[in-house]
Every structure is written in C-alpha cells, then in structure tokens.
Amino acid sequence: MNIFLDVMGGDHAPGEIIKGSIDAIKEYNISLILVGQKEIIQNELAQYDYPADKIEIIHAETVIENTEEPAMAIRRKTDSSLVVALEEMKKRDQSVLISAGSTGALLSGGLLKLGRIKGVKRPALASMLPKENGVSLLIDTGANADCKPEYLLQFAQLGTIYFENVLGKKNPSVGLINIGTEAKKGNTLVKTAYELLEASNLNFIGNIEARDVLESKADILVCDGFTGNVVLKLTEGVASFILNGVKKSVMSNTTGKIGGLLIKNNLRSFKKQFDYSEYGGAPFLGVKGGIIKAHGSSNAFAIKNAIKQSISFLENDVLRKISENSNEEEV
Amino acid sequence: MNIFLDVMGGDHAPGEIIKGSIDAIKEYNISLILVGQKEIIQNELAQYDYPADKIEIIHAETVIENTEEPAMAIRRKTDSSLVVALEEMKKRDQSVLISAGSTGALLSGGLLKLGRIKGVKRPALASMLPKENGVSLLIDTGANADCKPEYLLQFAQLGTIYFENVLGKKNPSVGLINIGTEAKKGNTLVKTAYELLEASNLNFIGNIEARDVLESKADILVCDGFTGNVVLKLTEGVASFILNGVKKSVMSNTTGKIGGLLIKNNLRSFKKQFDYSEYGGAPFLGVKGGIIKAHGSSNAFAIKNAIKQSISFLENDVLRKISENSNEEEV
C-alpha cells in the first residue's frame, strides 16, 4: 500500500498536510510517502514524535501553483512535487496520491502520467455534497466540461463502484441532475443520458431538480463537468453567503449579540453537518491509480480523512473493480 | 397601456392575484384586465372597495395546470385563462401579461401566440437573483435548454436593454457564468460566447464563477437555459436548506430557543434581502409583447410589484428598443 502526499499543495501546506499525515500514521498504523522539499518536510516533522520508519520522503524542488496552466505545468515542471509523485506512483502497485494543490494540474497530471483505465471513456472527478444525513457523490465536478450522453452513464457506473466500496452502501441510488423531474425534460445531453441510465442495471431513480440537490434521495448525482462544477461551487457560495449574512445580522445590535451567544453551540453543530471532509477528498475515477483531490483549504483533519479514504480505496480494490466493469462495457 | 393578469395561475390564485391587483390600482392609479372565471373573480372583488371602472374582466372557463405538457396545453386548452389572455393581447398594442401559473405553458404560449421579435434568435427568461445590495438579472433561466454561443450574446443584449430601462441603470455590467475566471475556461459553448461578448459593445466584465454569483459585480449574468435554471433553483434550494437548518438547530434546546427570540428581528431583516419580489417577476424577453412570469408562490405584494414592473416596461418602450437593437444585429 503506497499512499503519497503532495506536501506542497494547498492553502495550509505544508504544515497541515504533515500534521494530518502524522495523525493518520498514529491512528491507522500505516506508512506514508511525503513528496516535496526535503528540508521543509524535515523541519516540519521535527515538531512531532512519530515512528520514523513509517515515513518515506521523496524530494521535489518546486511546486505547481494554482495560477499555472495545468497541462503546460505538468509537462514543464518535472521537478514539481506533483509530477515527481506521479512518476513514482507509476513504479509502484497499489498507489494513491493525495493533493490539496491545483485541481487542474492534478487532473491533467493524472491523465497524462497515469492514463485511463482501459474501457473508461472519460475519467471524472467525484465530489461529496452534504445532505441531511450523510453525503451524496456528485460526478463529474469539472474534469469534462463537454460531455456525451454515454460519458454520463459511465460516470454513474464509476460513482456506483466508488460508493459501494469506499462509502460502504450496496446498490446506491443514482439521480440525474436536470431542470425538471419528468423523463422528457432537459437539454439534448440529459435527455439521452436519461434513456441510457434507465436501460442500465444501475439503481437509477430519475431526474433530480437542482432545488432538491441537498435533500434528494440519490446517493450519486450525475451530470456533465460544467454543470457539476457549477453545482458544487454554487452550493459552497450560497451556503457561505447565507451563514455570513445570518452572523452579520445577528451581530448588528446588542440584543442580537446576546442571542448570538445563546445559539452559538447549536449553530456549531449545524455547521459540522457541512464538514464533509470527514468523508475525505474528491476521487478522480477512471485513471490507472488512485488520485484524491483534497479541498484547497484542507486542515490536518481533512488530510487524515483523505488518508483513511485512500486506505479504503486500496483495501477494497476499487481500481480492479473499475477495470473489470469497464472492460465488460467494451464487449 | 394594457396590463393583463392571469388570475387563475399560481399557488395563491385567485385570492392574492386579485388582492395585489386592487393594491396596484390604488397605488399606481391604473387600469387592469383580469382574465379567469368571471364568477370567481367577481366574488373575490366583492370583498374590496375600489374604482370599478379600473377593472375589466375577461372570462376564461379553464386553467392550465403545472402538470400539463405546455405546448399541448396551449394548443388544446383554448378556453384557458392563459390562452384567452394571449389572444386578447394580440388585439391590443402596449400589452403585458403577468402570470404566476405554469412557467412552461407561459413560455410556450408566448412563443406560439405572440411570436418572436424580428431578429431575436431565441427569446429568453430573465430572473432576479439577490445580491448584497440589489439584484442581478440571470438570463436565460430555462427557455432554451440547448444554446449556441450567439444566443448567449443576444441574451446579454436583451438583459442590458431590460436592465437599463426597467431597473434604471445605464451601461449595466455583464458577466458570463463559467467554471473559472480565466478567458479560456469552460465548455465549447462558453468559450466562444466569451469571445463574442468581448468583441461586443456591451459592458462585459468577464467570467463569473458559480461560487461568486451572489457576490459578483455583474448586473447581468449570462448562461444557457439549462445552467441558468440550475443556478436559480439551486440558489433557492441551498438558501432554504441552510435557513431551515439554522432554525431547527436553534430550536433544538431551551438555551437556543431563548437566543432565537433575541435574534428573530435581525434574521427577519436579513431574510427580507431575499425577497426580490419587490423587483417584480421574470420577464420573457424577445417575444412580441410583454410577458412576466411571477413566482408560483407570489402573494399580493409580489403581484403588485409585477404590475409596477409592467408599467415601467411599457412606459420605457422596452419592446421597441429590443426590436431596434435586434434589427441592427440582423444587418
């Protein structure tokens, strides 16, 4: 089991990435591979008491920034933590790479360096969305801005394998993001995707309107990568707009401030519901290797959970299952 | 000036539609045309004291339900309040129809009965989205699920004319909903639309990420009708999910309940920010006549404001301006 961490990527790198790694080593009794500037990593590690034989360090001189053009950066920055990690992954079986750095570079790198699993038309990014009791898996959230109907069917298949194996629910339900609940609704893409999903052996439960995304019965929500990215980002944006607005309005006078103190604990437990980092990061499904995109603002807790997710990903042999399913499809 | 109300459409029809009409007659000193079952309308009107010469009633026997297939309903239900109103509109200049009934039927009816303004490729529905100080106009929110780049350019032009004339801001800014801020981001549709917008004489300010929709600087947010409908409905869904969640968590124990009482007024004024019904309904721009879609749950206040919006729409000659702008485009 080879779990790589891109130590240099993310808003709180390398500190929180390394703290989360140490926590995971202690909690799950595993070994990890940290990729980044050796000196920086060693300095960070010096703060902690940990079993030294559980950590391997691979030096990488640079880091790919969020502002760089992904494909170009992957080709040129061969000494970046991301590219060095991907090259090393290829040499070892049973590997997962976790990165909180540039999403575009991670997807591009995964595709260019690891390649697609045979039979997978388009690998897809699957992100967790909160709902009242648990999460939904939204797929694709940005790997494929332009899609064909058959890609959406395959996203549903990839999502189903992931949900069954890593999130542990047999025969998870699949919904199609649409602008109405009736079968004939939507644009050309989703109308055909609907037919493909209905004819499949997946547990397809029909269209899900955007209004119901956070309260839907669907475990897996399927859409093209443009729509999925809009849904993911808009959900974050509206939630934070409302929570900030509530806070500001509560704090706008003395009566409100006293009330605010009294509801503080309740609100905290409500907000925890949105901390879906306990489910780990977003897996990039369909490439030849495990790729987990951790949120850019990941703290140690989020990183620890992404590591837990990686263990489950490897133990449950998700790559082999995707490969078997996709080869069947090709026949 | 002929302002028609589909009295039978909406969750609170006919009561709130008629109450809003009476309020508007008194406040704006105008005449209105109420379309629906005569007896029901007369019974409702009997509750109010109002200048009787300001109301014309046109009888229509039936109503198109939300569950009916729009185009079919428009063709078959010739005695419905919507179709009767549209037929009457065609006979009179300077007309606007307000309906809180089926959106699909209203769009279909507008297209089939009134037709497109010459030069307008695809009429589009423009909905208000709240932001911290005011609103943005999101166009298209569902009339065109499949779009070409040139439609998006025209949506921006239609939105600009509306914003200048009815919302009273000169040279309003236009943003393109996208999955990144850089010019080269997005799917094939928005990449080309970006170029068209940039080459236009509109006040184009670039891509707006979904995360920033409620806090963007754009007065007008342009997208295809599938994306727009997802953005509109998801915004409503997430906002209500969070506000309900806050309420439930606050009320979950005694301390919280006391705090809840103290913040009640502050929260109410925050929520008022989302009551964008003060800006009226969603105009369907590009058809030969004014069509305003009021929210299905419209109360008298929302209807009164849709009437105010209709007055402004007619007084500022929006149809003529669209027509002039679109004919220029054709040259």
Side-chain angles (χ1 to χ4, degrees):
Chain A
M1 193 178 286
N2 298 289
I3 300 176
F4 293 80
L5 284 114
D6 171 8
V7 169
M8 311 306 282
D11 306 342
H12 307 300
E16 291 290 310
I17 316 291
I18 289 178
K19 184 172 185 307
S21 301
I22 299 288
D23 292 346
I25 287 171
K26 290 180 180 166
E27 193 162 334
Y28 311 126
N29 190 34
I30 45 149
S31 296
L32 295 174
I33 306 149
L34 308 186
V35 187
Q37 283 208 348
K38 198 164 191 167
E39 205 173 330
I40 292 177
I41 296 174
Q42 281 167 337
N43 281 343
E44 284 287 332
L45 285 174
Q47 303 171 41
Y48 302 101
D49 193 23
Y50 66 95
D53 63 324
K54 298 285 193 191
I55 287 189
E56 177 184 348
I57 299 174
I58 298 181
H59 177 72
E61 192 59 32
T62 64
V63 60
I64 296 177
E65 306 291 344
N66 274 319
T67 49
E68 295 182 67
E69 203 284 307
M72 181 97 77
I74 291 295
R75 272 191 295 266
R76 294 199 181 160
K77 271 192 162 168
T78 51
D79 61 350
S80 63
S81 52
L82 179 56
V83 176
V84 169
L86 287 165
E87 292 291 356
E88 190 61 32
M89 271 182 87
K90 288 164 65 177
K91 300 180 195 154
R92 312 191 194 185
D93 275 345
Q94 293 288 312
S95 296
V96 173
L97 167 62
I98 299 165
S99 176
S102 158
T103 308
L106 185 63
L107 301 185
S108 229
L111 267 179
L112 290 168
K113 297 292 176 188
L114 307 181
R116 290 180 288 128
I117 290 174
K118 198 182 159 203
V120 173
K121 295 177 182 81
R122 293 286 185 282
L125 189 64
S127 300
M128 315 287 169
L129 266 190
K131 56 182 182 180
E132 195 148 355
N133 301 304
V135 285
S136 296
L137 192 73
L138 180 67
I139 181 170
D140 173 28
T141 53
N144 307 281
D146 288 295
C147 283
K148 294 180 181 172
E150 56 268 33
Y151 303 169
L152 268 62
L153 171 63
Q154 210 172 43
F155 298 164
Q157 290 162 337
L158 293 170
T160 296
I161 294 171
Y162 183 84
F163 213 97
E164 286 197 341
N165 287 282
V166 179
L167 297 169
K169 181 173 177 181
K170 287 291 147 208
N171 201 28
S173 54
V174 173
L176 178 65
I177 304 247
N178 206 337
I179 58 174
T181 49
E182 307 86 340
K184 297 269 164 75
K185 280 277 180 174
N187 55 17
T188 314
L189 173 68
V190 298
K191 280 181 197 166
T192 311
Y194 186 99
E195 289 169 13
L196 295 176
L197 285 162
E198 204 172 40
S200 76
N201 57 2
L202 297 167
N203 181 12
F204 180 55
I205 60 168
N207 290 326
I208 306 289
E209 269 202 283
R211 181 186 282 123
D212 303 319
V213 154
L214 298 191
E215 298 177 271
S216 86
K217 289 200 177 65
D219 295 313
I220 297 150
L221 292 162
V222 174
C223 54
D224 67 273
F226 186 90
T227 302
N229 197 275
V230 165
V231 168
L232 184 70
K233 303 278 180 65
L234 188 64
T235 301
E236 284 185 16
V238 175
S240 110
F241 178 83
I242 303 274
L243 287 170
N244 289 338
V246 165
K247 194 174 167 186
K248 226 158 77 181
S249 78
V250 164
M251 300 305 278
S252 65
N253 57 27
T254 311
T255 317
K257 280 179 190 163
I258 298 168
L261 281 176
L262 297 174
I263 63 166
K264 206 170 173 178
N265 286 333
N266 299 23
L267 274 193
R268 193 178 293 143
S269 68
F270 171 64
K271 277 200 218 165
K272 250 194 95 172
Q273 205 177 303
F274 291 97
D275 186 13
Y276 34 104
S277 69
E278 65 176 285
Y279 297 93
F284 183 40
L285 301 172
V287 286
K288 280 189 237 157
I291 298 267
I292 309 260
K293 171 67 181 84
H295 201 286
S297 63
S298 289
N299 58 13
F301 177 75
I303 294 299
K304 192 192 77 175
N305 286 320
I307 294 169
K308 185 181 171 193
Q309 173 190 22
S310 306
I311 299 169
S312 177
F313 189 92
L314 292 170
E315 282 182 350
N316 289 292
D317 225 352
V318 173
L319 291 178
R320 186 179 56 76
K321 287 170 185 163
I322 289 177
S323 176
E324 284 170 6
N325 180 280
S326 307
N327 283 325
E328 268 170 44
E329 292 298 315
E330 292 261 298
V331 177
Chain B
M1 192 178 282
N2 297 290
I3 301 177
F4 293 81
L5 284 115
D6 171 7
V7 169
M8 312 305 283
D11 305 344
H12 306 300
E16 292 290 310
I17 316 292
I18 288 178
K19 183 171 184 312
S21 301
I22 298 289
D23 291 346
I25 286 173
K26 289 179 180 168
E27 195 162 333
Y28 311 125
N29 189 33
I30 46 148
S31 295
L32 295 173
I33 305 149
L34 308 186
V35 187
Q37 283 208 348
K38 198 163 191 170
E39 204 175 330
I40 293 177
I41 296 175
Q42 282 169 334
N43 281 343
E44 285 288 331
L45 285 174
Q47 301 172 41
Y48 302 101
D49 193 20
Y50 67 94
D53 62 325
K54 297 285 191 190
I55 287 189
E56 178 185 346
I57 299 174
I58 298 181
H59 177 71
E61 191 59 32
T62 64
V63 59
I64 296 178
E65 306 291 344
N66 274 318
T67 48
E68 296 182 65
E69 202 285 306
M72 181 96 77
I74 292 295
R75 272 192 294 268
R76 294 202 182 160
K77 271 192 163 168
T78 51
D79 61 350
S80 63
S81 51
L82 178 56
V83 176
V84 168
L86 288 165
E87 293 291 356
E88 191 61 32
M89 272 181 88
K90 288 164 66 177
K91 299 180 196 156
R92 311 192 194 185
D93 275 346
Q94 294 288 312
S95 296
V96 172
L97 166 63
I98 299 165
S99 175
S102 157
T103 308
L106 185 63
L107 301 185
S108 228
L111 269 179
L112 289 169
K113 298 292 176 186
L114 306 181
R116 289 180 289 129
I117 289 174
K118 198 182 159 202
V120 173
K121 295 178 180 83
R122 292 286 186 281
L125 189 64
S127 301
M128 316 287 170
L129 266 189
K131 57 181 182 181
E132 197 148 355
N133 300 305
V135 285
S136 296
L137 192 73
L138 180 68
I139 181 170
D140 175 28
T141 53
N144 307 281
D146 289 295
C147 282
K148 294 181 181 173
E150 57 267 33
Y151 302 169
L152 268 62
L153 171 63
Q154 211 173 43
F155 298 164
Q157 291 162 335
L158 293 170
T160 295
I161 294 171
Y162 182 84
F163 213 97
E164 286 199 338
N165 287 282
V166 179
L167 297 169
K169 182 173 176 181
K170 288 292 147 205
N171 201 27
S173 55
V174 173
L176 178 64
I177 303 246
N178 205 336
I179 59 176
T181 50
E182 307 88 339
K184 297 270 164 72
K185 281 276 181 173
N187 55 19
T188 314
L189 173 68
V190 297
K191 280 181 196 163
T192 311
Y194 186 100
E195 290 169 13
L196 295 178
L197 285 162
E198 204 172 39
S200 76
N201 56 1
L202 297 168
N203 182 11
F204 180 55
I205 61 168
N207 290 326
I208 306 289
E209 269 201 283
R211 181 188 281 122
D212 303 319
V213 154
L214 298 191
E215 298 177 271
S216 86
K217 288 199 178 65
D219 296 312
I220 296 151
L221 293 161
V222 173
C223 55
D224 68 90
F226 186 89
T227 302
N229 196 274
V230 165
V231 168
L232 184 72
K233 303 278 180 68
L234 188 63
T235 301
E236 284 184 15
V238 175
S240 109
F241 179 82
I242 303 275
L243 287 170
N244 289 338
V246 165
K247 193 173 167 187
K248 224 158 80 181
S249 79
V250 165
M251 300 305 278
S252 65
N253 58 26
T254 311
T255 317
K257 280 179 191 164
I258 298 168
L261 281 176
L262 297 173
I263 63 166
K264 206 171 173 178
N265 286 334
N266 300 21
L267 275 193
R268 194 177 294 144
S269 67
F270 171 64
K271 275 199 218 168
K272 249 193 97 173
Q273 207 177 302
F274 291 98
D275 186 13
Y276 34 103
S277 68
E278 64 176 285
Y279 297 93
F284 182 40
L285 300 172
V287 286
K288 280 189 235 157
I291 298 268
I292 310 258
K293 171 67 180 85
H295 201 286
S297 64
S298 289
N299 57 14
F301 177 74
I303 294 299
K304 190 192 77 175
N305 287 320
I307 293 168
K308 185 181 171 193
Q309 173 190 22
S310 306
I311 298 169
S312 177
F313 189 91
L314 291 171
E315 282 182 348
N316 289 292
D317 225 353
V318 172
L319 291 178
R320 186 179 56 79
K321 288 169 184 165
I322 289 177
S323 177
E324 283 169 7
N325 180 281
S326 305
N327 283 326
E328 269 169 46
E329 291 298 314
E330 291 261 298
V331 178

